[in-house]
Amino acid sequence: MLSITTLLFPACPDLLLEEITREGQTLFLTVRSSKKAMACPDCAKVAAKVHSRYPRTLADVSLMDYAVRLRVQVRRFFCSNPACARKTFAELLADLAVAHARRTNRQASRLRAIAKELGGRPAARESENVLMPVSRHTLLRLLRCTELPTAPLPRVLGVDDWSLRKGQTYGTLLVDLQRHRIVELLPDREAETLEAWLAAHPGVEVISRDRAGAYAQGARKGAPQAQQVTDRFHLLLNLQEALKRLFERKQEALQEAAQQHGFLKPSTSSDGPAEGLPLNPTPLTPTVIGKQARRARRLKRYEEVMQLHEQGASQVRIAALMGLHRDTVRRYLTASSFPEIMRPGKRSRLDPYKKYLQQRWAEGEQNVKHLLVELRERGYRQGETIVYEYLRTLRKPPEGMDASEVQKKTTVHSAAQRALSAREAAWLFVCNPQKLRLSQARRLDHLRVTHEDLGLAYQLAQDFRVMVTRRQAPVLGRWLEEAKASGIKELQSLATGIYRDFDAVRAALATKYSNGQTEGKVNKLKCIKRQMYGRAKFDLLRQRMLLRA
Ligand SMILES: [Zn+2]
């Protein structure tokens, strides 16, 4: 049968349990070592002559509903080696507790785990719950002195900043993008700090960073051999910022669009033409806008190809200059006119499920949430919006109201009449037009159609978005030239910025690495920071992040 000592102290086979007493909710276990002799820590000669004994109390992990304390009789030995400088030494309880500790190793490691997960105060409360009560100071001290796991040197490094105090103090997060691990937290976002880290951790081959100048400089100096890659998401943010500045300059256009939009009649209204109709009587849907933009882009490309051809450039040369496939160039040159793309009608991913939805609807199940659950069970993996929209078509109007009235009601409610902010307008310009709601598409449409420069800005913005999201590196040069030639100063200055960082931006459009993962880790960090009520000290945050990396 298992002896109780082995059961209670599996890591310390030499321990003898002598007595168990209970005081309130605490069990006191009196233990001693059964070893007859001990090696001197200085000279390693085995000593058996006991000088004295003294008691040591250690807090241990709890047992059932009891807190547990160990009372250990520690012996002091005489060193038997006359040549040794040490006369006496206390026996070590190495597997049980480190010298001078007030708790066993296993209790310390449990408390560390709690502190790692919960931080200061919540961890202190939890330590009471698990009958190992300690103060938050003790927990934080344990956390601070926890040894960090040694991570292998990263080859592909993600760099991003995070705020220790919003708008005041920033730090830097380094992520191993191949191993999906946080590598380090730096206390600021200065070039020198990153440079020093890179110099001390050689071997980084790719550095994915945002377009902040400090990281570019730090990376160049600290790891000159590494390929720098800007983050695609940040590129889109830069575009959005540029557009926001553009709209701040064009406030009157936004005001005007809002007024126009207020007069918009719902498109399905049965009323005849009335005053205040929109400039374009058939409002463009997002899909149509997207199509138009793509067609315009292709047409422009086609015209450029033809122009180069007339100037005598070969097909190969045109392909290289334009960043097009040679087959595309050949197709353009052999076509009698601009080749339109004919696509079959687009099928909805909901199509296979429509019959089922109709059937359930007819059976009386008209709860959208329930129906969604049923669709998911049947393998539907797409978004909820198209389900909602499809079900709306199945819904009969309430009695006493005909369909056009329902439509009118919903349209009027959803069409806010206040002017868009510059930020909102910028977002509309950057967004994938397929993802816009109809009311958004209408506003966007108005802005594009009534202002020539905004129309051009929109086209450039969409070209940029497509180039970045589809990683079309060969197109970058041409986009920059178009932006330069656009006469829109905000986009010109964006282009200037990109020229300055050209290699890294081009790399961003040519590699698969992005900082998305790094940003995910930044969110995790924010979460932990919030848990510590935003008062987290840098070293503790670093410790917690790296321990759970
Ligand atoms: Zn000795």
Side-chain angles (χ1 to χ4, degrees):
M1 195 174 129
L2 204 57
S3 92
I4 189 131
T5 320
T6 344
L7 196 66
L8 295 177
F9 306 101
C12 315
D14 299 320
L15 227 51
L16 289 178
L17 175 63
E18 298 198 309
E19 192 184 21
I20 301 179
T21 55
R22 180 168 73 93
E23 286 173 29
Q25 284 308 105
T26 306
L27 291 183
F28 286 88
L29 275 57
T30 309
V31 296
R32 65 178 175 85
S33 168
S34 65
K35 276 189 182 166
K36 290 272 183 286
M38 275 273 164
C40 166
D42 280 3
C43 67
K45 193 161 192 306
V46 175
K49 197 175 165 198
V50 175
H51 166 273
S52 55
R53 293 184 164 81
Y54 66 94
R56 218 177 131 182
T57 306
L58 296 167
D60 202 349
V61 293
S62 51
L63 181 66
M64 290 179 275
D65 283 335
Y66 297 97
V68 174
R69 287 180 175 271
L70 304 184
R71 284 179 173 144
V72 194
Q73 279 296 324
V74 181
R75 291 165 296 176
R76 186 165 275 282
F77 289 91
F78 285 108
C79 177
S80 58
N81 180 1
C84 179
R86 186 184 278 275
K87 295 296 160 227
T88 66
F89 63 91
E91 69 179 314
L92 292 170
L93 305 167
D95 296 323
L96 195 64
V98 294
H100 310 297
R102 293 162 62 192
R103 63 195 82 258
T104 59
N105 293 341
R106 62 184 174 190
Q107 196 203 42
S109 106
R110 298 263 182 103
L111 290 173
R112 267 190 203 112
I114 295 175
K116 181 184 90 180
E117 292 301 325
L118 300 175
R121 269 173 227 275
R125 282 196 295 274
E126 180 60 12
S127 74
E128 273 181 41
N129 290 338
V130 296
L131 304 172
M132 297 187 273
V134 282
S135 73
R136 74 190 159 96
H137 303 287
T138 303
L139 286 162
L140 296 182
R141 189 167 42 74
L142 279 169
L143 192 59
R144 281 199 165 96
C145 66
T146 307
E147 216 176 298
L148 293 169
T150 46
L153 292 174
R155 284 201 320 110
V156 182
L157 189 72
V159 183
D160 202 0
D161 63 354
W162 53 277
S163 69
L164 187 57
R165 252 163 230 262
K166 194 140 186 116
Q168 292 178 33
T169 333
Y170 288 87
T172 300
L173 187 69
L174 305 182
V175 178
D176 183 331
L177 294 181
Q178 288 179 312
R179 294 191 184 83
H180 302 262
R181 283 177 65 102
I182 295 175
V183 181
E184 186 56 283
L185 265 73
L186 303 177
D188 56 41
R189 50 176 182 183
E190 304 299 323
E192 294 73 26
T193 316
L194 178 62
E195 179 191 337
W197 190 90
L198 286 168
H201 300 80
V204 176
E205 292 164 19
V206 178
I207 299 175
S208 170
R209 53 159 171 85
D210 65 12
R211 293 198 46 238
Y215 289 153
Q217 191 194 327
R220 196 164 49 241
K221 288 191 177 168
Q225 77 290 346
Q227 161 79 68
Q228 294 192 34
V229 180
T230 65
D231 178 50
R232 288 189 291 280
F233 176 70
H234 278 92
L235 283 175
L236 291 176
L237 279 186
N238 293 142
L239 169 68
Q240 203 169 334
E241 277 302 308
L243 290 168
K244 192 179 146 227
R245 288 195 301 276
L246 168 66
F247 282 114
E248 279 161 357
R249 184 159 63 81
K250 310 264 305 177
Q251 283 292 342
E252 80 290 351
L254 298 178
Q255 295 288 348
E256 200 184 287
Q259 281 161 12
Q260 279 293 337
H261 196 68
F263 290 128
L264 274 181
K265 288 269 177 187
S267 56
T268 52
S269 167
S270 49
D271 303 348
E275 274 184 325
L277 268 181
L279 285 172
N280 46 325
T282 45
L284 297 179
T285 64
T287 326
V288 173
I289 293 174
K291 259 188 203 153
Q292 285 185 348
R294 282 193 299 277
R295 184 183 180 277
R297 207 161 49 232
R298 285 183 61 245
L299 181 60
K300 198 148 167 256
R301 205 177 293 157
Y302 169 78
E303 283 163 355
E304 281 180 48
V305 169
M306 297 312 281
Q307 203 182 337
L308 286 169
H309 178 63
E310 276 160 32
Q311 288 165 6
S314 70
Q315 289 186 13
V316 179
R317 176 127 182 81
I318 296 175
L321 281 172
M322 303 280 300
L324 292 170
H325 196 277
R326 240 189 291 168
D327 291 344
T328 311
V329 176
R330 189 174 310 128
R331 202 170 64 241
Y332 282 179
L333 294 182
T334 50
S336 53
S337 65
F338 174 57
E340 297 283 357
I341 287 186
M342 308 298 280
R343 282 202 182 86
K346 206 178 167 193
R347 286 170 55 79
S348 157
R349 303 254 171 109
L350 189 62
D351 283 351
Y353 303 94
K354 280 183 178 168
K355 205 162 176 200
Y356 178 78
L357 280 177
Q358 285 165 9
Q359 182 201 332
R360 295 290 290 138
W361 192 266
E363 285 167 11
E365 177 55 274
Q366 306 200 341
N367 182 314
V368 185
K369 288 255 167 341
H370 294 175
L371 288 170
L372 254 169
V373 171
E374 293 179 17
L375 284 192
R376 296 272 184 243
E377 283 166 0
R378 277 160 184 78
Y380 176 69
R381 292 279 167 273
Q382 306 302 313
E384 298 181 5
T385 319
I386 57 170
V387 178
Y388 280 106
E389 281 179 0
Y390 179 67
L391 290 176
R392 198 176 293 157
T393 65
L394 296 181
R395 187 166 287 152
K396 285 202 180 69
E399 280 184 43
M401 199 193 272
D402 66 23
S404 71
E405 265 176 294
V406 175
Q407 179 75 31
K408 204 185 290 179
K409 247 188 138 94
T410 50
T411 314
V412 169
H413 279 300
S414 63
Q417 289 174 25
R418 81 188 160 77
L420 290 175
S421 69
R423 177 180 296 280
E424 287 164 332
W427 181 82
L428 282 185
F429 266 44
V430 178
C431 197
N432 180 346
Q434 316 257 11
K435 292 187 177 156
L436 294 181
R437 289 197 306 271
L438 190 59
S439 61
Q440 294 172 322
R442 281 186 179 144
R443 288 189 171 213
L444 170 65
D445 190 34
H446 178 88
L447 288 172
R448 291 173 55 224
V449 177
T450 45
H451 298 264
E452 201 181 326
D453 51 348
L454 290 184
L456 179 56
Y458 180 73
Q459 202 200 315
L460 282 166
Q462 288 296 315
D463 284 352
F464 191 86
R465 178 182 63 76
V466 171
M467 171 177 79
V468 170
T469 52
R470 300 208 186 138
R471 292 191 259 147
Q472 300 169 335
V475 185
L476 178 63
R478 197 167 72 234
W479 188 89
L480 290 172
E481 275 165 31
E482 285 175 6
K484 277 279 181 197
S486 68
I488 301 166
K489 63 181 180 190
E490 290 80 5
L491 293 179
Q492 288 170 330
S493 92
L494 174 67
T496 310
I498 292 178
Y499 272 123
R500 229 178 277 139
D501 200 13
F502 187 82
D503 288 343
V505 173
R506 202 176 191 292
L509 302 184
T511 61
K512 64 178 193 286
Y513 295 112
S514 93
N515 250 4
Q517 197 194 126
T518 316
E519 265 147 40
K521 303 281 189 206
V522 168
N523 281 334
K524 198 160 138 189
L525 188 147
K526 280 183 192 157
C527 183
I528 289 184
K529 201 182 68 176
R530 224 171 285 137
Q531 210 183 43
M532 295 164 108
Y533 306 99
R535 289 191 298 251
K537 293 243 170 56
F538 173 76
D539 66 329
L540 275 177
L541 237 145
R542 172 176 180 271
Q543 199 78 0
R544 284 186 71 187
M545 288 307 287
L546 294 183
L547 279 171
R548 48 167 65 210

